[in-house]
Amino acid sequence: MWHWQRDCSLQYAAVLDLCILLCSAGPLDIRPGLAPMSQSRSSPVATRPISTVGTGEKLHAVPDFIPEENATASKDSNETAPVPSSGRFSWLKLDMTKTEWDILVASTCLKLLLFPAYRSTDFEVHRNWLAITHSLPLSKWYYDTTSEWTLDYPPFFAYFEKLLSIPAYFVDPRIVDLNNLNYGAWSVVAYQRSTVIFTELVLGIAVLKFARGAENPAMQRIISASLFLHPGFLIVDHIHFQYNGFMFGILLWSILMARNDRKLASGFLFAVLLNFKHIYLYLAPAYFVYLLRSYCLSPTYALLPGRFLSLANAVILTFLVSLGPFLLMGQLPQLLSRLFPFTRGLNHAYWAPNFWALLTALDRVLLKVVSRGQFAGLSVNESGVASTSRGLVGDTVFAVLPTVKPIHTFAITVAFQTIYMGKLWTNTSYKSFVTALTLCGFTSYMFGWHVHEKAILLVLVPLSLLAAESNAYFRTFTIASVAGIYSLFPLLFTPAETLVKIVYSVLWVVFVLRPIHRQVYQFPTTILDVAIDILERFYLAGFPLLQVFVMIFPLLTKRRVATDSGMSEHADNSGSEPSALEFLPLMLTSVYCAIGLVWAFVRLSVLYLVRRD
């Protein structure tokens, strides 16, 4: 048995060395031999003209294979380009370059060094799910309450946990012992951390395939590397602990199929994803409109029965495999009650930086003003006053502003998504689909009920595919990425991980954003554009100052910044009543990030609805 009491100074020095090695790897540089700056800019979004129903072009049959290489792509003088493979299963072959192997090896070493790092209660959540699926029959999976961390993901994820529980039993039988709660031996730490690394290869292979068929391979290589090395996945999966890399890998595979005009496969993969984690329902409207209009209908809006039935059968069969056993056992209501609990409040314990975070902060400011005798005509909700005394822990009840209910958030979300779906219906190009998909996730993040901060990945991952499309898209991507990544920092509140998350994120920003900026930057030409550019630069410059405040404030007040309670998406929000000042850094982080994310949401909405592609 390994003894893993860590020496933080040695461990994190090694981590920082690997961060520098990772972010200085070759694929993150645009080399002259790959993409000369004098050449005309080409988007990495589309690989070839894709027929759009709005132009009256013919709908082509789904190709039998996925093109793996762009024949006109520039050759790298320093390394041998991958050679296209042929055959039925050629699309599965990696054909990785030396630099891509370097990134994989270096990133894996970094993740291995983070094994002893902080882990949230989500770690025990997933260990308990291993025990549930291994120890109990299928009929009891969604009824077990041995632990407070009950199974609340769709069946495919439960089957996934069942699969992982088999080798877990041979590693250490106590891992899958249902009554062995809060088990933290090195065996379970090493095993569960390793499964995250291994399953994340689904993401790695997907981003490799994006680079292989891109119109601009050099730029797509940067975007692909940025996704695989994304700070969000490092923070949420490899330290905090979840399996987002694996599931976003399935999402990217689905988007890749859409890019390569394999729309039936795209719809099937998205149906599979929905049965892994139901949060991806936020993206379902974009898939529904895109597949219906571009795959199931002709340019004259006539239904294509063969395609419609193929897609319907693929989706129905997927859901039958997932939900069928529980439907036969009469357990579907119980399963749905686990998946959709409506007893939580508007905001999570740490306010996810969205529109409701700004509204909640405004309510707190108005309460202070009213309590000083100003605006005496405003009524005060006493339960809202009690809510503010709990800092950020507990349900959010407004003291001055009208209380927001679930039906309000649902109506606003549907209204915004309907607008974007109208545009997608008239333009079903690949770029339009990815933008609409991003806006569906963005809208749900902005206006959803009880949104978790980790849901920002629903925005940042598809938005990355549009980063090099134009300067306007890049600026939107920059603001959303910086604000979104920083909004995840409170998940890691222990001092040992502070340096890792800051240094790694800064290196990612430098080595990803700078080359894209050099490729797409355009000087603002109007006074309004100049003013917006200056304000955005000032906003981005405020993040270092915010971080200094977050680090210094607890030292000045001699209070802890946060506790583990409520930081996990499964955490219990009950507990002690801490001082409101203790949560001031969290509140400022949420509000400041919300300003940037709301602005990025507005920018992307205007770009999509106003501009013609």
Side-chain angles (χ1 to χ4, degrees):
M1 182 67 67
W2 295 354
H3 298 281
W4 56 292
Q5 183 176 6
R6 56 184 174 180
D7 184 337
C8 288
S9 60
L10 292 177
Q11 174 194 352
Y12 290 105
V15 169
L16 295 180
D17 289 341
L18 271 172
C19 288
I20 296 172
L21 173 62
L22 268 174
C23 294
S24 59
L28 299 184
D29 299 321
I30 299 181
R31 288 164 286 183
L34 286 176
M37 294 304 296
S38 60
Q39 293 180 353
S40 60
R41 294 169 184 162
S42 55
S43 166
V45 171
T47 59
R48 61 182 183 276
I50 296 178
S51 58
T52 57
V53 294
T55 60
E57 297 180 26
K58 261 188 188 179
L59 286 173
H60 301 287
V62 179
D64 293 329
F65 65 94
I66 303 170
E68 296 300 334
E69 294 292 338
N70 188 333
T72 60
S74 302
K75 291 183 179 180
D76 188 348
S77 59
N78 295 327
E79 59 185 20
T80 304
V83 178
S85 303
S86 60
R88 180 176 297 179
F89 299 102
S90 61
W91 63 279
L92 285 173
K93 297 182 180 179
L94 301 183
D95 296 324
M96 291 174 61
T97 64
K98 180 181 181 301
T99 308
E100 289 163 349
W101 277 111
D102 290 341
I103 288 182
L104 176 62
V105 172
S107 62
T108 302
C109 290
L110 171 62
K111 295 161 188 175
L112 291 172
L113 285 174
L114 292 174
F115 272 21
Y118 159 81
R119 57 187 184 273
S120 73
T121 51
D122 281 332
F123 185 88
E124 170 60 17
V125 168
H126 287 280
R127 189 217 61 81
N128 186 61
W129 292 356
L130 290 175
I132 289 174
T133 55
H134 183 84
S135 305
L136 298 177
L138 184 69
S139 59
K140 296 183 179 180
W141 284 4
Y142 288 95
Y143 283 92
D144 179 73
T145 56
T146 304
S147 167
E148 60 181 315
W149 314 123
T150 54
L151 182 59
D152 58 5
Y153 273 24
F156 273 5
F157 199 90
Y159 303 153
F160 170 73
E161 293 278 7
K162 172 68 175 179
L163 184 64
L164 294 181
S165 72
I166 297 173
Y169 176 79
F170 294 100
V171 171
D172 182 354
R174 291 173 294 177
I175 296 177
V176 293
D177 183 350
L178 191 61
N179 296 308
N180 191 22
L181 303 180
N182 300 312
Y183 186 50
W186 175 248
S187 57
V188 65
V189 172
Y191 177 74
Q192 290 195 206
R193 296 278 198 199
S194 298
T195 60
V196 174
I197 296 175
F198 178 75
T199 56
E200 196 179 49
L201 293 178
V202 174
L203 171 67
I205 299 173
V207 297
L208 278 178
K209 294 299 179 181
F210 266 99
R212 293 296 181 265
E215 185 179 85
N216 186 344
M219 185 58 66
Q220 183 60 58
R221 188 178 293 116
I222 296 172
I223 294 173
S224 293
S226 74
L227 283 168
F228 188 67
L229 302 174
H230 202 283
F233 293 133
L234 188 83
I235 292 171
V236 178
D237 287 1
H238 298 285
I239 302 180
H240 184 270
F241 195 84
Q242 280 189 358
Y243 290 92
N244 290 284
F246 165 65
M247 288 181 286
F248 274 100
I250 300 175
L251 175 64
L252 287 174
W253 271 107
S254 177
I255 297 174
L256 178 65
M257 295 298 103
R259 190 194 74 173
N260 291 328
D261 208 22
R262 297 175 62 95
K263 294 171 184 175
L264 179 60
S266 177
F268 168 72
L269 286 172
F270 184 69
V272 170
L273 181 62
L274 287 178
N275 285 278
F276 269 98
K277 193 170 184 179
H278 48 301
I279 192 174
Y280 295 98
L281 276 171
Y282 293 152
L283 309 180
Y287 270 94
F288 176 79
V289 172
Y290 175 69
L291 293 174
L292 176 64
R293 185 68 188 94
S294 67
Y295 184 74
C296 298
L297 298 179
S298 71
T300 59
Y301 296 94
L303 181 67
L304 303 173
R307 291 188 172 192
F308 178 79
L309 290 176
S310 296
L311 181 61
N313 288 335
V315 173
I316 292 172
L317 180 62
T318 302
F319 276 86
L320 280 178
V321 172
S322 172
L323 302 176
F326 302 95
L327 185 63
L328 292 175
M329 293 184 292
Q331 295 184 3
L332 196 58
Q334 171 65 17
L335 190 154
L336 294 177
S337 69
R338 286 283 184 89
L339 299 185
F340 302 101
F342 293 105
T343 57
R344 299 171 180 175
L346 173 65
N347 293 326
H348 194 227
Y350 156 58
W351 303 344
N354 57 12
F355 178 78
W356 303 125
L358 296 180
L359 199 66
T360 305
L362 176 61
D363 181 76
R364 300 301 190 255
V365 172
L366 290 176
L367 178 61
K368 295 292 183 182
V369 172
V370 171
S371 63
R372 294 177 181 175
Q374 303 177 15
F375 299 105
L378 293 176
S379 60
V380 176
N381 184 350
E382 294 300 327
S383 60
V385 176
S387 176
T388 63
S389 68
R390 295 197 299 266
L392 302 185
V393 178
D395 294 343
T396 300
V397 179
F398 290 162
V400 179
L401 297 175
T403 299
V404 178
K405 298 180 179 179
I407 188 63
H408 301 147
T409 64
F410 178 78
I412 295 172
T413 301
V414 171
F416 272 95
Q417 289 188 345
T418 301
I419 296 173
Y420 306 134
M421 294 308 99
K423 174 66 178 288
L424 180 60
W425 182 264
T426 62
N427 180 5
T428 56
S429 67
Y430 170 72
K431 177 184 172 183
S432 176
F433 167 61
V434 175
T435 310
L437 188 72
T438 305
L439 284 168
C440 275
F442 223 151
T443 301
S444 301
Y445 183 83
M446 280 289 114
F447 306 108
W449 180 265
H450 197 78
V451 174
H452 291 272
E453 64 281 354
K454 296 180 282 294
I456 192 59
L457 292 173
L458 282 174
V459 177
L460 300 184
V461 171
L463 183 59
S464 299
L465 301 175
L466 301 166
E469 188 62 25
S470 68
N471 183 59
Y473 278 98
F474 171 70
R475 291 305 293 267
T476 305
F477 169 73
T478 299
I479 295 169
S481 294
V482 173
I485 291 171
Y486 191 87
S487 71
L488 297 174
F489 278 17
L491 288 173
L492 309 180
F493 52 87
T494 52
E497 284 74 30
T498 299
L499 192 60
V500 174
K501 68 183 180 184
I502 293 175
V503 174
Y504 186 87
S505 299
V506 169
L507 289 173
W508 184 91
V509 166
V510 170
F511 286 97
V512 170
L513 299 187
R514 285 181 63 188
I516 303 178
H517 176 267
R518 289 197 300 266
Q519 184 84 352
V520 303
Y521 179 72
Q522 294 176 342
F523 192 81
T525 56
T526 67
I527 295 178
L528 179 60
D529 290 340
V530 171
I532 292 175
D533 184 78
I534 293 173
L535 289 175
E536 288 176 348
R537 289 177 184 270
F538 272 112
Y539 172 77
L540 294 173
F543 280 97
L545 301 178
L546 177 60
Q547 181 60 36
V548 170
F549 172 79
V550 169
M551 295 173 66
I552 292 179
F553 181 79
L555 301 178
L556 297 178
T557 58
K558 297 182 180 180
R559 302 293 297 265
R560 295 182 62 186
V561 176
T563 63
D564 194 13
S565 175
M567 296 309 298
S568 165
E569 67 179 69
H570 297 85
D572 184 4
N573 289 334
S574 63
S576 59
E577 306 286 335
S579 167
L581 280 179
E582 183 173 345
F583 295 96
L584 181 60
L586 279 177
M587 185 180 73
L588 290 179
T589 298
S590 178
V591 171
Y592 196 76
C593 292
I595 293 172
L597 289 173
V598 169
W599 173 241
F601 172 71
V602 173
R603 279 191 63 120
L604 188 61
S605 298
V606 172
L607 283 173
Y608 184 56
L609 297 175
V610 175
R611 293 196 174 189
R612 293 185 178 182
D613 297 329

